[in-house]
Amino acid sequence: MTRYRFSEPPPSEITPKALWLSRREVMRAGLALALAPLAGTVDAAPFDPEQVVAGPFSTDEPLTDPRAATGYNNFYEFGTRKSEPAANAWRMQTSPWDVVVEGEVARPGRYGLEDLLRPHTLEERVYRLRCVEGWSMVIPWVGFPLAALITRLEPTSRARYVEFETLVDEAVMPGVRRPVIAWPYREALRMDEALHPLTLLAVGMYGEVMPNQNGAPIRLVVPWKYGFKSIKSIVAIRFHEQRPVTSWEQQAPREYGFYANVNPEVDHPRWSQASERRIGESGRRPTLPFNGYAEQVAHLYDGMDLRRYF
Ligand SMILES: Nc1nc2c(c(=O)[nH]1)N[C@H]1C(S)=C(S)[C@@H](COP(=O)(O)O)O[C@H]1N2
Ligand SMILES: [Mo]
């Protein structure tokens, strides 16, 4: 597998040793730090890192330091501050884990995570993730195309949208005691977006099992859309004929559209989307249409007014 190359940290953050550690050692230094409270209690990994193959569509941009990617998160169920997911999410039990499949589908049911994963070849794909708030990261995800699972589940001819739902567990998620959004966190894609080969169901990052704060044990990664579409810790997948209303759209429809395609020309009502801060870099860089994936996905929106359908 690839040897990781990290973007240069600012001088104040240089830990000379970390830069020269092997990938595994970086993992131990980085992820182990983020996961410290769980050390020793993590059981059977959902995959064998040696079985992961290099997947298509990867960018060769420098990777975000895994300590930033696992320590600066949005996962509002665990609190709205960027540090809270890393501080709180270790309490979430991710094994056993079931995903309920419902709606317009020939194979509905309750699937154990192992059953969901078993037939699929896991790939590593280095994708950019662009948060609607204006920061971005480059992360080597481990996962498989959502399309492969959807094909297995056999949606009916009426299925035009697929909806995802996150776990809600007040006992371990302090954030859900406050109505920041209408819990559970819900997201959805049009079927052609869900079937696009870029759309990933991820179960790991940096060659390791997904940390809880990043959406263990299974999450979506839709790299051409703002980060809030990439829903974490999925417990339900539903196929619909009508477009479901998603959590952020319901909360603030003028700010967060259903499509949420990264678009430097359509500003958020309260801030510009023209540029972004790549975590680990100083200064800002221009934001690219569809987060740099226009060649792959722009055709999905042919004839649509992207200012209206933002
Ligand atoms: N369930 C759930 N999924 C979520 C969120 C959340 O608050 N809850 N935040 C989203 C947002 S806004 C972003 S930018 C990404 C962040 O993913 P990361 O923490 O792995 O970088 O997760 C998305 N998925
Ligand atoms: Mo985000």
Side-chain angles (χ1 to χ4, degrees):
M1 285 239 305
T2 38
R3 189 163 266 276
Y4 294 112
R5 190 161 57 90
F6 299 104
S7 50
E8 204 143 335
S12 60
E13 285 176 25
I14 290 184
T15 46
K17 212 172 75 199
L19 294 175
W20 306 105
L21 294 174
S22 74
R23 184 175 73 87
R24 293 243 162 239
E25 284 163 324
V26 169
M27 286 311 107
R28 245 172 261 136
L31 293 187
L33 194 75
L35 291 170
L38 248 187
T41 68
V42 189
D43 54 8
F47 66 88
D48 173 359
E50 303 302 321
Q51 304 288 319
V52 177
V53 305
F57 304 116
S58 289
T59 171
D60 57 10
E61 289 167 85
L63 300 180
T64 299
D65 187 315
R67 282 164 294 192
T70 59
Y72 185 88
N73 302 101
N74 275 340
F75 197 163
Y76 277 14
E77 288 86 336
F78 293 103
T80 51
R81 280 182 307 196
K82 303 284 181 260
S83 58
E84 286 179 300
N88 295 331
W90 60 272
R91 291 191 183 85
M92 175 170 63
Q93 273 298 140
T94 59
S95 171
W97 189 272
D98 289 348
V99 177
V100 171
V101 174
E102 296 172 328
E104 292 292 345
V105 63
R107 301 188 179 281
R110 177 177 284 274
Y111 292 81
L113 185 68
E114 309 70 37
D115 298 327
L116 274 190
L117 295 187
R118 191 176 299 118
H120 301 286
T121 302
L122 294 181
E123 300 170 7
E124 179 173 85
R125 299 182 176 196
V126 182
Y127 282 176
R128 306 173 200 94
L129 184 80
R130 167 63 157 80
C131 180
V132 71
E133 294 165 82
W135 45 270
S136 63
M137 300 194 192
V138 178
I139 294 175
W141 302 101
V142 174
F144 62 99
L146 172 63
L149 176 64
I150 290 181
T151 305
R152 264 174 78 204
L153 296 175
E154 297 179 27
T156 72
S157 59
R158 281 187 296 276
R160 293 175 57 226
Y161 295 90
V162 55
E163 179 189 31
F164 305 86
E165 200 174 282
T166 297
L167 176 74
V168 185
D169 183 352
E170 271 199 39
V172 297
M173 294 171 154
V176 303
R177 291 173 214 148
R178 290 192 297 131
V180 185
I181 57 166
W183 312 108
Y185 194 107
R186 280 159 290 115
E187 257 310 333
L189 297 170
R190 213 169 60 187
M191 196 59 82
D192 59 342
E193 300 174 322
L195 292 172
H196 192 280
L198 272 172
T199 305
L200 207 63
L201 271 174
V203 295
M205 55 197 281
Y206 299 91
E208 304 286 324
V209 173
M210 190 71 76
N212 283 5
Q213 60 267 37
N214 293 88
I218 189 162
R219 69 170 291 172
L220 209 58
V221 183
V222 193
W224 72 93
K225 293 178 180 282
Y226 290 117
F228 66 87
K229 299 294 288 185
S230 291
I231 183 171
K232 297 176 170 179
S233 304
I234 295 166
V235 293
I237 301 178
R238 265 181 227 110
F239 294 87
H240 296 282
E241 184 165 11
Q242 305 296 330
R243 179 155 81 75
V245 177
T246 58
S247 295
W248 280 111
E249 195 191 5
Q250 182 181 343
Q251 184 65 28
R254 289 180 48 259
E255 301 188 20
Y256 308 106
F258 174 81
Y259 286 94
N261 293 318
V262 174
N263 191 341
E265 286 170 17
V266 176
D267 289 337
H268 185 281
R270 292 183 279 133
W271 59 81
S272 165
Q273 294 293 17
S275 69
E276 65 199 60
R277 185 171 61 89
R278 179 66 53 84
I279 301 292
E281 287 181 357
S282 53
R284 298 181 75 82
R285 52 165 72 210
T287 284
L288 300 174
F290 300 102
N291 201 23
Y293 300 94
E295 200 185 312
Q296 287 82 24
V297 300
H299 70 273
L300 297 177
Y301 311 100
D302 276 349
M304 276 176 69
D305 176 357
L306 297 180
R307 293 189 171 274
R308 174 154 180 228
Y309 297 103
F310 57 92

